[in-house]
């Protein structure tokens, strides 16, 4: 780990101001991601700004929005009874991520800023267009079992690792920074020819909260993560679903996929396939099929196409009350 | 300045360290070195900074660079080598400690971030010569072979029970999934935790 200077900020304004003094500055919350990035030579900030004393904590349940402070810890949000009760997809996604120790330390804001687990990105000795623009993407012709089947480009086929971000996409959340609001569907950038640009954040911009429309709390929701191990592993495929039901008919649906694209992938075609319908086996099958529309699997990850079809149908059926 | 620091300090680093110490005395415990209201946050490092860590009930001062993890500070600066360094990436759990009663991986947090927090390591778990019930259970269930992961397993298990009593062996397995055991003593580890949590077989 390269040496760095360190400052503790007690307000978002102070954090942003002090970070502005060094273009390489990084914000530090839980540390569970940044420390590994620095240790592995994937990040080398000259200044680390500890934001843990910034008042951006806790969860508030308003009439319009549920606001989660960026410094709320994953475990704290997952355990909150009103979250478990009203936003099961959020609680389930958080508990499916990392391990208990990491969930106790990792913040909501930091979770959204996780970098990809692509093994070529994580190995500083390898070329990687995300890490070193123009150096190439060994994943495209290499070991790509974990990689994207949707949203990738000729420059990059990474997948975004956050479970939380997938749940927040299904909940139509907004990321709140110190000076603006960004819908989660516009927060993450597809790689295109600039895979090093991963989010809409400007340098030095600080996430202070995540807001979820309170209406979503009346919807039925759920999350399923399919992975190589039963616990403490990233998703091969995950599915987050939020359904507004009128009896057995779907009034509105939001469906998001994890583990398959460089950003949480909103499956609009699958949403269209269920809207206004009852969740019959045919409709479930159609939704699964629609979710993989345009999929471009690589040599080692074609299995994800079928996994998405089945997992989408399964989660829709479970959340929709079929079983 | 400590012995190992002799001759290795620039004037700037010494100044930074003493300023930090001065600042630390003016704020309540719990906040390490946040600026007073209205003042810009103070920048310290990258050289060594004096940090006071409260470990196992004792306040211990030491000099660390900001980049030093809590794990390395415990082992290398405070000679508390019961906390083990396995993967140094947050994957194995051998470095698990309690911070303010909550289990975390000490390789994924900086020592300087934890000034003012109450840190419990395996050395501080027993009450004098009376072992913690989780330590007793690990002995009775023979819940280890080589023992390298054991301090982390025990602290993780203590933290797990503080989070709410697991109701089944499956919940214990899930709750302990952040601690790996290369000897694969898992069945006995689950037995030990189940004993203390009073989970039936």
């Amino acid at each position: 780990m390269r040496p760095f200077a360190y400052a503790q900020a007690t307000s978002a304004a102070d954090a942003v101001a002090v970070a502005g003094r060094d273009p390489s500055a990084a914000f530090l919350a839980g540390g569970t991601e940044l420390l590994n990035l620095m240790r592995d030579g994937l990040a080398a900030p000259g200044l680390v700004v500890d934001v843990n004393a910034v008042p951006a904590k806790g969860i508030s349940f308003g009439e319009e929005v549920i606001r989660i402070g960026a410094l709320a810890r994953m475990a704290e949000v997952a355990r909150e009874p009103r979250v478990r009760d009203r936003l099961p997809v959020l609680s389930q996604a958080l508990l499916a991520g990392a391990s208990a120790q990491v969930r106790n330390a990792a913040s909501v804001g930091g979770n959204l800023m996780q970098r990809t687990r692509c093994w070529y990105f994580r190995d500083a000795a390898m070329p990687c267009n995300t890490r070193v623009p123009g150096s190439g993407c060994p994943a495209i012709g290499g070991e790509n079992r974990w990689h994207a089947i949707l949203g990738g480009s000729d420059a990059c086929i990474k997948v975004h690792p956050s479970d939380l971000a997938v749940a927040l996409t299904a909940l139509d959340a907004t990321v709140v920074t110190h000076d603006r609001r960004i819908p989660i569907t516009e927060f993450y950038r597809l790689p295109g020819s600039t895979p090093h640009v991963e989010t809409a954040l400007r340098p030095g911009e600080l996430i202070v909260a995540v807001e979820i429309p309170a209406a979503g709390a009346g919807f039925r929701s759920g999350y399923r993560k399919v992975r190589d191990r039963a616990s403490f592993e990233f998703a091969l495929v995950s599915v987050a679903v939020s359904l507004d039901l009128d009896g057995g008919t779907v009034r509105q649906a939001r469906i998001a996929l994890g583990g398959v694209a460089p950003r949480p992938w909103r499956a609009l075609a699958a949403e269209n396939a269920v809207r206004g319908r009852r969740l019959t086996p045919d409709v479930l099958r159609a939704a699964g099929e629609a979710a993989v529309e345009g999929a471009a699997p690589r040599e080692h990850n074609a299995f994800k196409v079928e996994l998405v079809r089945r997992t989408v149908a399964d989660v829709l059926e479970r959340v929709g009350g079929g079983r | 300045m400590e012995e190992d620091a002799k001759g290795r300090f620039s004037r700037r680093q010494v100044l930074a360290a003493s300023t930090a110490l001065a600042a630390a005395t003016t704020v309540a415990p719990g906040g390490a070195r946040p600026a007073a209201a209205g003042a810009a946050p103070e920048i310290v490092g990258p050289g060594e900074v004096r940090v006071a860590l409260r470990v196992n009930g004792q306040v211990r001062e030491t000099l660390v660079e900001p980049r030093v993890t809590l794990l390395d500070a415990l082992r290398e600066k405070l000679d508390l080598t019961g906390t083990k360094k396995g993967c140094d990436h947050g994957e194995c759990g051998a470095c698990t400690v309690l911070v303010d009663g909550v289990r975390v991986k000490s390789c994924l947090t900086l020592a300087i971030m934890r000034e003012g927090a109450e840190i419990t390591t395996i050395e501080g778990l027993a009450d004098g010569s009376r072992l913690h019930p989780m330590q007793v259970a690990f002995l009775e269930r023979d819940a280890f072979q080589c023992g390298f992961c054991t301090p982390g397993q025990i602290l993780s298990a203590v933290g797990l029970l503080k989070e709410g009593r697991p109701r089944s062996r499956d919940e214990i397995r899930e709750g302990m999934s952040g601690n790996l055991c290369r000897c694969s003593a898992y069945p006995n580890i689950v037995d030990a935790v189940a004993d203390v949590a009073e989970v039936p077989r």
Side-chain angles (χ1 to χ4, degrees):
Chain A
M1 203 184 298
R2 297 257 289 275
F4 52 80
Y6 171 90
Q8 276 190 347
T10 52
S11 71
D14 276 356
V16 170
V18 72
R21 289 158 67 170
D22 183 336
S24 73
F27 294 120
L28 171 72
T32 55
E33 171 75 326
L34 182 62
L35 262 61
N36 277 340
L37 293 174
M38 293 194 295
R39 196 154 25 211
D40 292 341
L42 310 177
L47 171 65
V48 168
V49 180
D50 181 343
V51 297
N52 285 293
V54 171
K57 301 187 168 73
I59 311 167
S60 63
F61 290 78
E63 279 187 17
E64 298 290 311
V65 296
I66 297 160
R67 185 181 168 101
I68 302 171
L71 286 166
R73 308 296 149 169
M74 289 171 71
E76 170 193 350
V77 180
R79 276 203 300 262
E80 161 64 44
R82 285 172 293 181
V83 170
R84 297 172 78 129
D85 219 38
R86 297 162 62 180
L87 304 168
V89 65
L90 183 58
S91 179
Q92 290 165 13
L94 283 164
L95 291 174
S99 66
Q101 291 100 314
V102 171
R103 292 193 295 269
N104 283 338
S107 69
V108 164
N111 183 296
L112 298 182
M113 295 304 291
Q114 283 179 88
R115 309 296 302 278
T116 180
R117 307 306 298 192
C118 172
W119 31 66
Y120 299 109
F121 168 80
R122 293 272 162 176
D123 182 347
M126 297 298 293
C128 168
N129 287 326
T130 292
R131 192 163 21 76
V132 183
S135 62
C137 174
I140 288 172
E143 292 297 331
N144 49 36
R145 180 171 178 270
W146 264 14
H147 291 73
I149 57 169
L150 291 160
S153 71
D154 292 345
C156 178
I157 54 168
K158 68 189 158 203
V159 297
H160 195 268
S162 168
D163 295 292
L164 170 64
V166 180
L168 291 176
T169 301
L171 291 169
D172 196 20
T174 297
V175 178
V176 184
T177 76
H178 71 281
D179 68 353
R180 63 180 172 143
R181 308 164 56 78
I182 309 167
I184 188 125
T185 46
E186 292 164 29
F187 184 77
Y188 295 105
R189 296 285 160 88
L190 286 178
S193 58
T194 55
H196 57 289
V197 182
E198 297 187 310
T199 72
L201 289 186
R202 299 182 305 260
E205 191 169 6
L206 179 67
I207 300 175
V208 297
V210 169
E211 289 186 350
I212 297 166
F219 300 166
R220 296 173 70 160
S221 69
Y223 189 73
R224 182 163 188 187
K225 181 177 185 178
V226 183
R227 44 188 162 172
D228 284 332
R229 288 192 296 254
S231 182
F232 199 10
E233 179 60 287
F234 293 92
L236 293 169
V237 165
S238 72
V239 176
V241 163
S242 172
L243 293 178
D244 181 14
L245 291 171
D246 178 9
T249 304
V250 176
R251 207 181 283 139
Q252 286 293 328
R254 281 182 76 96
I255 302 171
L257 312 179
V260 295
R263 70 177 187 202
W265 189 258
R266 187 170 172 199
L268 281 163
E271 294 174 10
N272 292 336
V274 298
R275 189 175 300 111
R277 296 172 188 274
R278 301 179 78 82
L279 295 172
T280 62
D282 282 350
V283 170
L284 294 173
R285 214 173 2 253
E289 196 57 50
V292 293
E293 220 175 73
R298 306 282 166 167
E299 185 181 357
H300 302 293
N301 66 6
F303 72 95
K304 286 191 177 186
V305 176
E306 183 60 18
L307 207 48
V308 168
R309 286 191 191 110
R310 295 187 190 197
T311 313
V312 165
D314 174 76
V315 181
L316 277 169
E317 190 179 11
R318 278 194 302 144
V319 173
R323 61 189 150 88
Chain B
M1 297 286 120
E2 288 187 354
E3 254 183 44
D4 62 351
K6 271 182 190 162
R8 295 205 292 127
F9 275 96
S10 71
R11 185 178 137 74
R12 192 174 66 84
Q13 285 169 331
V14 173
L15 284 174
S18 51
T19 326
L21 186 58
T25 58
T26 61
V27 297
R33 55 199 80 244
E42 180 191 6
I43 297 176
V44 298
E48 289 185 318
V49 179
R50 187 170 292 275
V51 168
L53 293 172
R54 183 186 294 271
V55 186
N56 301 328
Q58 265 193 312
V59 177
R60 309 263 312 261
E61 285 199 354
T62 184
L63 288 167
V64 291
E65 293 179 24
R67 64 175 166 162
V68 172
T69 60
L70 177 59
L71 170 62
D72 284 341
L74 290 170
R75 290 182 55 84
E76 308 296 332
K77 295 287 186 169
L78 304 182
D79 293 324
L80 291 168
T81 53
T83 306
K84 301 303 181 197
K85 184 188 268 198
C87 69
D88 206 21
H89 277 76
E91 290 165 9
C92 76
C95 68
T96 301
V97 299
L98 303 181
V99 175
D100 292 330
V102 171
R103 53 179 169 157
V104 301
K105 292 179 174 176
S106 61
C107 74
L108 292 184
T109 191
L110 300 173
I112 197 170
M113 288 167 67
R114 299 304 186 175
E115 196 163 37
E118 182 70 51
I119 296 152
T120 306
T121 69
I122 194 71
E123 290 92 343
L125 204 55
D127 179 9
S129 61
R130 230 180 72 219
L131 293 180
H132 186 282
M134 194 63 75
Q135 291 173 304
V136 175
F138 268 66
L139 284 169
E140 285 180 348
R141 289 294 187 173
D142 197 16
F144 46 84
Q145 290 183 45
C146 82
F148 190 84
C149 73
T150 310
Q153 298 277 1
I154 289 175
L155 282 155
S156 187
V158 171
L160 169 68
L161 266 58
K162 283 170 180 273
E163 290 160 15
R165 217 168 74 181
R167 290 161 300 181
S168 65
R169 296 172 67 85
D170 277 351
E171 284 190 10
I172 293 172
R173 281 190 206 97
E174 168 60 29
M176 294 293 290
S177 72
N179 293 80
L180 306 186
C181 171
R182 295 305 303 268
C183 308
S184 212
Y186 297 113
N188 300 26
I189 292 170
V190 174
D191 285 344
V193 180
D195 282 355
V196 182
E198 297 175 348
V199 170
R201 279 201 74 90

